[in-house]
Amino acid sequence: MVKTSQARLTTRHQSFDGWLLLSTLSLMLIGWVMVTSASTEIAASLTGNPYYFSIRHGIFVLASIGVGLVAVRLPLDWWRQKGPLMLIVALLLLFTVLIVGREINGSRRWISLGIINVQASEVAKLCLIVYVAGYLERFLPEVRRSWGAFMRPLAVMALIGFLLILEPDYGAVVVLTGCVMGMLLLSGAPLWRFLLILAIVGSGAVMLAVAEPYRLQRITSFANPWADQYNTGYQLTQALIAFGRGHWFGLGLGNSVQKLFYLPEAHTDFVFAVLAEELGLFGAVGVILLFALLVFRAFRIGRKAELAGIPFAAYLCYGIALVIGAQAFINISVSSGMLPTKGLTLPLLSYGGSSLIISGIMMAILFRVDVEVRRLQRRPKPSAGSEDDTRPPGEAVEPTL
């Protein structure tokens, strides 16, 4: 009986990971529904059309799927070769946004391209993951043995982090730093190096936090938002009220009270609070489980690629899993009052074209890795005396998606 259930749940004999597809499409669909619900009042107030943000988000979802379908046809070798170029593109975008970027809520994070705004930090996430994955494949033994090779990716991250701080975008700095350090840890670098760096970075973070009054104010308001609930603690207290209203099963889809101009950024950074209010504890936990499933499948695909002898693909999957997991964790923690307020979207769920399209490309890369690993595993082993297939893993293999 148990074996039969396991056989039904496994995706081993399929051409791609069905669980990854289920979690990805479910999150995108839930996101579209929740953005529609959370944005109707603010959209009607700003534009006169209650479905303005819903229509735009729907276009972004379709664009994300379309770009993903293109990206899934790119062989891993293409990403491997473009890693250094992508890093240069990321640095140029981060420089450009500081000069000509559009300022919103005190941060200069977006480059206006007419009908859309490109968020430079979202593009930098993908570019940095691809670059570090290629670096680890080329210099893996040196990274494990020497400090110099170990510190080079962190030096690149420090430069990117400096540019992000100038925007400022501290949330992206935290996510990308955690991603790079996680990829180095999973590559087999000694643990004591990370403990030493964490101690140094932690001390620097404390100094940065107390250097500016508004940062210290964010921390103190996070610790006790009710002490100043109509000023510094306003956004967090409104989010907590939304969680409290939701109870077990929620108020029902579309019945949120907090989205009626009480909770700022209800359809972007705090969409999870509206979701918890309308769908309750069960709905919120369901979304968290979907994220957990997505991250687990990404790590599993990466592990399979590592065992198949494709380190670039493995570290690519690990980086994507770390970014998606860290960003989802931070966004949900901020919404529920577990972390200080950060300007981070909820991947695949929050309103935002740049985030959705980059997330779609990341999911496409996961599918591409999964397809190539499955093809490699199913390839018959050469018999004695026969010619071996000399094509390196990661080269053009057409996926059946």
Side-chain angles (χ1 to χ4, degrees):
M1 185 72 175
V2 176
K3 290 183 178 179
T4 305
S5 299
Q6 290 177 345
R8 289 176 180 174
L9 295 175
T10 185
T11 62
R12 186 178 305 164
H13 303 295
Q14 297 177 5
S15 57
F16 61 91
D17 194 318
W19 289 111
L20 179 64
L21 181 64
L22 173 66
S23 57
T24 301
L25 292 181
S26 296
L27 287 170
M28 294 179 84
L29 180 60
I30 292 171
W32 194 355
V33 172
M34 291 314 305
V35 166
T36 302
S37 176
S39 67
T40 51
E41 297 300 326
I42 187 70
S45 173
L46 294 175
T47 70
N49 179 7
Y51 299 107
Y52 174 80
F53 291 115
S54 175
I55 293 170
R56 285 178 62 88
H57 189 79
I59 294 171
F60 293 148
V61 168
L62 296 177
S64 175
I65 294 172
V67 172
L69 291 174
V70 173
V72 80
R73 302 190 67 84
L74 297 174
L76 292 176
D77 194 51
W78 186 90
W79 295 101
R80 183 187 288 111
Q81 294 173 3
K82 297 295 186 293
L85 178 61
M86 293 181 69
L87 177 64
I88 294 172
V89 169
L91 291 172
L92 288 175
L93 283 174
L94 292 174
F95 273 115
T96 304
V97 76
L98 296 175
I99 300 170
V100 300
R102 180 183 177 190
E103 186 172 339
I104 301 176
N105 294 333
S107 296
R108 197 179 294 272
R109 304 178 186 177
W110 295 268
I111 300 173
S112 181
L113 298 179
I115 60 173
I116 62 169
N117 296 317
V118 176
Q119 190 170 354
S121 60
E122 292 294 336
V123 180
K125 290 173 188 175
L126 175 62
C127 295
L128 185 63
I129 290 171
V130 174
Y131 171 77
V132 174
Y135 177 87
L136 290 175
E137 182 186 49
R138 295 192 303 272
F139 301 103
L140 187 58
E142 291 86 347
V143 168
R144 292 172 176 173
R145 286 197 307 262
S146 69
W147 268 99
F150 174 81
M151 290 300 296
R152 282 178 213 140
L154 293 176
V156 173
M157 178 59 236
L159 175 58
I160 291 177
F162 175 73
L163 295 174
L164 288 171
I165 288 172
L166 293 178
E167 294 184 6
D169 191 349
Y170 300 105
V173 175
V174 172
V175 170
L176 284 177
T177 302
C179 171
V180 172
M181 293 190 70
M183 292 174 72
L184 289 169
L185 181 62
L186 290 169
S187 71
L191 181 60
W192 65 269
R193 293 181 186 173
F194 294 93
L195 298 177
L196 179 61
I197 291 174
L198 283 174
I200 297 172
V201 172
S203 303
V206 172
M207 293 176 63
L208 281 174
V210 300
E212 293 288 343
Y214 81 93
R215 293 180 200 149
L216 188 60
Q217 195 175 50
R218 275 191 173 188
I219 294 173
T220 55
S221 65
F222 147 74
N224 185 16
W226 303 101
D228 193 9
Q229 59 179 306
Y230 296 110
N231 189 14
T232 58
Y234 179 77
Q235 193 169 30
L236 180 53
T237 54
Q238 296 304 314
L240 294 176
I241 290 171
F243 276 92
R245 288 180 186 275
H247 296 287
W248 290 97
F249 301 103
L251 300 177
L253 192 61
N255 293 329
S256 167
V257 175
Q258 295 307 108
K259 70 181 181 181
L260 305 177
F261 306 102
Y262 292 104
L263 177 62
E265 312 295 340
H267 63 295
T268 55
D269 297 349
F270 280 80
V271 69
F272 188 78
V274 177
L275 184 147
E277 184 181 8
E278 295 189 350
L279 304 183
L281 177 65
F282 282 96
V285 171
V287 168
I288 292 173
L289 290 177
L290 284 173
F291 274 112
L293 176 62
L294 189 154
V295 172
F296 171 75
R297 299 310 295 186
F299 273 118
R300 186 176 178 84
I301 292 169
R303 179 57 179 163
K304 286 165 63 179
E306 190 172 8
L307 294 175
I310 319 176
F312 172 74
Y315 298 126
L316 205 56
C317 293
Y318 294 154
I320 292 171
L322 288 167
V323 162
I324 297 293
Q327 195 162 328
F329 172 78
I330 292 173
N331 180 280
I332 293 171
S333 298
V334 166
S335 297
S336 56
M338 294 166 56
L339 288 175
T341 303
K342 301 286 182 188
L344 281 175
T345 59
L346 190 56
L348 300 170
L349 230 151
S350 294
Y351 175 81
S354 298
S355 176
L356 266 175
I357 290 174
I358 295 299
S359 297
I361 295 173
M362 289 181 178
M363 296 303 104
I365 292 173
L366 292 178
F367 283 113
R368 181 74 202 197
V369 172
D370 182 52
V371 167
E372 293 201 11
V373 170
R374 288 170 189 263
R375 289 287 183 85
L376 190 63
Q377 291 174 339
R378 292 172 183 174
R379 188 183 304 164
K381 295 181 180 180
S383 57
S386 65
E387 283 191 25
D388 192 6
D389 185 358
T390 58
R391 182 183 62 204
E395 289 220 354
V397 178
E398 290 302 321
T400 56
L401 292 179

